[in-house]
Every structure is written in C-alpha cells, then in structure tokens.
Amino acid sequence: MVPFFHSVRLDADKCKGCTNCIKHCPTEAIRVRAGKAHILEDRCVDCGVCIRVCPNHAKVVHTDPLTRCKEFAYNVALPAPALFGQFAELSEPGAVLDALLGLGFDEVFEVPLAADLVSQAMRRFLQERGPGPWISATCPAVVRLIQVRFPELIPNLITLESPMEVAGAIARQQAIRSTGLSADRIGVWFITPCPAKVTAIHQPEALAQSSVTGAIAVSQIYGDILKLLPRAGSARRRLQASGLGLGWGRAGGENVAVGIANHLAVDGIHNVIDLLEELEMGRLQDVSFLECQACTGGCVGGALTLENPFIARVRLRKLAAQLPQVCSLDLAAMEEEWGDVFSIKGEIVPRPMTPLATDMYSAIAKMERLEIIERRLPGLDCGACGAPNCRALAEDIVRGRAEEKDCVIRMREMWYTRPDMEKAKGAKP
Amino acid sequence: MGLKPLLEMRFPVQGNDFIQAGEASSRIKRTLQQIGMESSLVRRAAIASYEAEMNIVIHAYHGELVLTIWPNLIEIVAADVGPGISDVALAMQEGYSTAPESVRQMGFGAGMGLPNMQKCADELLVETKVGEGTRVVIKINL
Ligand SMILES: Nc1ncnc2c1ncn2[C@@H]1O[C@H](COP(=O)(O)OP(=O)(O)OP(=O)(O)O)[C@@H](O)[C@H]1O
Ligand code: SF4
Ligand SMILES: [Mg+2]
C-alpha cells in the first residue's frame, strides 16, 4: 500500500516533548519518544487537533507560499466558504474576491459556488440511491477516519467529490479555454482552512491527481487580504454563490443546502467518532443523510483559520442571509459544459490500522502479552511514558516500539525490587 | 470442543449501569481489530456483543461477557444473573420487548437485540432459567 501522505508535520526544534498532543489525538496517533513527538503515519487522519492544542506551535502544516504562483503563467484562487467568515468588517463577501485579484491572482473561482452545485448533485444522488444512511465524503479527515477506523462504513460514503475538487476541475478547464495555455502552466490554489484538504490535494483518495495545484493557508494569506479589503460598498465583484453555498463553511450548512429529510449534522472529531460507532452498530437506521465534519463548528473551525469558530460561524450565517437563497447555476447544464466533474471515480479503499502481527496466531500471542503487561501498569493514563494511556503503552511494548521501563512508575518499582535493592533496604536510588 | 482456545478474555457487566454500558463490547471490537480479524467479522461480533451486553444492562442484575477465540471460530458468551426469559421463542421475535418506558426513552427496547444477534451469528444459543439467569452463546465462524 502507498504510504500516507501527511500535511501535518512536526517542527522538532519547537517540540518540547510535552503530552498535550498525545492526550488529545482522537486516533491515538502520536507518541513522544526521546523527548520529541512522532506521528504514527498509519493512524493520522490529518484532523488538525494537535495543531490547535500544541502550546509550542510545533505542529506545522505543509502548505504553499503565495510566491509559488510565480511558477505558473496563469493563477486561479479557490477561496473556501470558511474564508469569508474570517473578517470582522466585511459587509460584502465580494470584497474578498477583489482582494484576491489584488494579490495577483488572474482569476477567482468561488468554492461556495461549487458547493451549490455539489448540493444539487447530492440531492440527486440521495433521491436515486434510496434511504441510506449515506455519509457525506466532503470532509477528508472524516473520509480518512472511516478508512482507518470504520472500514465497514466505506459503502455508505456518498461518491461525490468535495466542492474544492469540483471548483478546481471547472476552474482549470475555464482557464484553459480562456487563455489557450496548457494545463501544466495553470496554477489552481485552494485557500484552505484545513490541513486535511492539503492532504487531499497531494494524495487524493480516489483520484490519480487532484485538479488543484496546491493550498495556501487561510492563516497565511489573511493579513494580505485584510490590507486589500476595499471599504464597504466599493466591492466590484459580487458573489455568484447562493447563501446556501456559502453556508457550507459552517456545521449544518451542508444539511440545509442539500435539504433532505432525516438528515443529521455532527461536528467535532470526537463527536463524529461516537456517531460513526453508533452507525456501525446499526443503531441509526432512521437517518438518511449524515454530514460529518471533523472540526468543531465546521470548516470555520479548521486548524488553519484565525477567527474564533463560533464568531466566524455567526458571521458566515449573516453574510449568507444577504445572498439569494437559490443557486444561479443548473447542474445538468454544468455537466453538459464541463463533463462529470462530480462523481468520485476511483475507489475509496480500507486502510485499517496495522494489526499486532500479520498472522492471527502471533497476533493473539501478542494480545495475551499485551493484557498481562497492561495489568502490571499503574492505570494512571498519565502520558509521561509518551503514550496516550497505559493500554497504548502496553500495545507499543508488544509492537516492539517501547519498553516497560518507559513507565516511570514501573521503573521505580523495578528498581526497588531488584535483588540488590532488596538487600540494601532503605537505600535511595 | 476438543480444541484449545487461543484466547480468552472476560469483561464484567453491571445491570442498570448505563454509563459503563457498551464498554465490554467496544473492548471486544478493539481486540478483534488488533488481532487483524477481517472488518466484516469484527462488525458482526461487535454488534452481537453490544446487543448481548445491553440486554444484561437492561434486563438482568449483573453478568459478564467472555470472548473466546478458537482456531475456527469466535465465541462470545453473555452470562447473567437475572430474571431469565420465560418464552425464548417469543423473545426472539422482532419487535417483542418488555423494556420499561424509561429505557425506551433512551432509545432501547425496540425488540431488535436478539433478532440482530441471530443475524450476526452463525449460531446462537439461548439458555435460560426463570428466576436465575440467562446465558447467550454467539458463535461466528472464522
Ligand atoms: N439477559 C436477559 N435477561 C432477561 N430477559 C431478557 C434478556 N435478554 C432479553 N430478554 C427479554 O427478551 C426481550 C427481547 O430482547 P431483545 O434484545 O430482542 O429486545 P429488547 O432488549 O427489549 O430491545 P432492544 O434490544 O431492541 O433494545 C426483552 O425485552 C426481554 O424481555
Ligand atoms: S471540517 Fe472542514 S476544515 Fe475541518 S477537517 Fe473537515 S473539511 Fe477540513
Ligand atoms: Mg436488547
């Protein structure tokens, strides 16, 4: 299997080896070894939780600088819906499009507009495919989570691309048509709130290649946009997207835009995990459409945003209310013009966590050892060993990547019960 | 059975404890995943043991789940001390439930637990004695 690409990386110089990230990681994918955090590649889903909790800012996301535009003859910006919720004084969302053009992009294609189209495609999908339950595949952290922890739910994923991918595919074709340039001379840049989207660009799950060239973090481009935001009332461009498309940037917005009965929206990766557990157990039969977003508040809560997600969420709702509530574009006409840019064409494959051993007999033997070791550990789940809890350390030990003496309490016990220590009672180590 | 079990793990379950409820079956699920069992088997075992665990929580006083892996099958035994079941055939029917209103409020009591176990298992045995308890044996072939 191709190894995971990960957008979330460690800046080893900044990492102090604290236990914040290991304790918060929803898939137990981080260990501290020799004073530095390490990401277990087969478990990380790029949700970005560790970026938010790291007090030393040692978790970094591999995004592109604006200067990469120089490598291309023509550049298109794809602003995410969440970007529009970042600015306090913004009265007209179109002003953000102006600012992006002011920064040197040759064209802007609104991801909220692609969201409008994806909403229509989803509505059609749900009507054609029956009751489900169907899970939206638009949050790439959720898709990876399902591949890693809930492979049985892969058939429940809606096989439609995310608004980002659709926006990229249409924008690239438009650029080719309007400039006559070849595809490789056109740069298409997603302005991203999200580390998982960066991963989805560099290693798309079911595509040979993403239509998007790279990703520029909202947090990086924020200051540049802010400087160029025109005063209220002077925006030249207007948003073409509807309020519903813009609403995709916040939790619940996708549900509203798709407008199907028996829907459910859940945000925050821990909540998503709980809900998928329920679903996998077959206990959510009356839900037909599930919007799952890894970030609290939805994409406005993405790890690469700056504004408080709750504030951004309200702001996005207000902006969306000013826009028309119907999309100006027709799905069938767009398909006619640009081809099927909507369906996920490849296969989303299971990527289950590596078992303790490849054959069942040795895995079971390791499982027995794991149980015995776990019983010897103190059960404090303190994290000082570098694993998120005692059971995880026991697992690491049987996997051969940790030792029992990594537990400070076990270490002290072992010291005191050494034969020579028994003799020299009372002596301090 | 003649054969030697490869692994045996026991998980206590407390009646009426809705906070701990589900933990035994999620430990079973995780164990099977770590051993590298196929995900469809893991799912069937997880659903069946969850239903069996919830039945102890809801209908019995206390009990335990025992996971045993044999060379050819996964066996989950849910044994409890409790009121027992007076009519097993009736209890096995979809929609039959004696769960009280308070439990239905929590989303249980659809009368689907035993039928679900039946669907997930290759073999299901229910041994019960009114006034003493119940023993449910779930077998899933490897
Ligand atoms: N361990 C048990 N002890 C006593 N009675 C039980 C036990 N398990 C099941 N029963 C009886 O069998 C009935 C049917 O069980 P079943 O699991 O199918 O449905 P339920 O538990 O009532 O509802 P659901 O499982 O859908 O939440 C129960 O309502 C109860 O009367
Ligand atoms: S909720 Fe949005 S920002 Fe967060 S991981 Fe998913 S797609 Fe990215
Ligand atoms: Mg039941």
Side-chain angles (χ1 to χ4, degrees), chain A residues 283, chain B residues 50-52 54-55 58-59 97 108-114 117:
Chain A
R283 297 202 72 93
Chain B
Y50 177 78
E51 295 292 359
M54 290 317 297
N55 277 359
I58 294 170
H59 307 292
S97 175
F108 302 103
M112 292 304 292
L114 283 166
M117 284 181 237

Side-chain angles (χ1 to χ4, degrees), chain A residues 283, chain B residues 18 54 58-59 94-112:
Chain A
R283 297 202 72 93
Chain B
F18 286 90
M54 290 317 297
I58 294 170
H59 307 292
E94 285 193 11
Y96 175 81
S97 175
T98 60
E101 186 52 34
S102 60
V103 169
R104 286 172 201 254
Q105 296 272 324
M106 287 190 275
F108 302 103
M112 292 304 292

Side-chain angles (χ1 to χ4, degrees), chain A residues 125 129 132-135 146 150-159 348 350, chain B residues 43:
Chain A
F125 181 100
R129 302 296 185 93
W134 294 104
I135 309 167
I146 288 175
F150 303 96
E152 285 290 295
L153 295 178
I154 289 176
N156 297 65
L157 284 167
I158 297 177
T159 48
I348 298 174
Chain B
R43 185 186 200 177

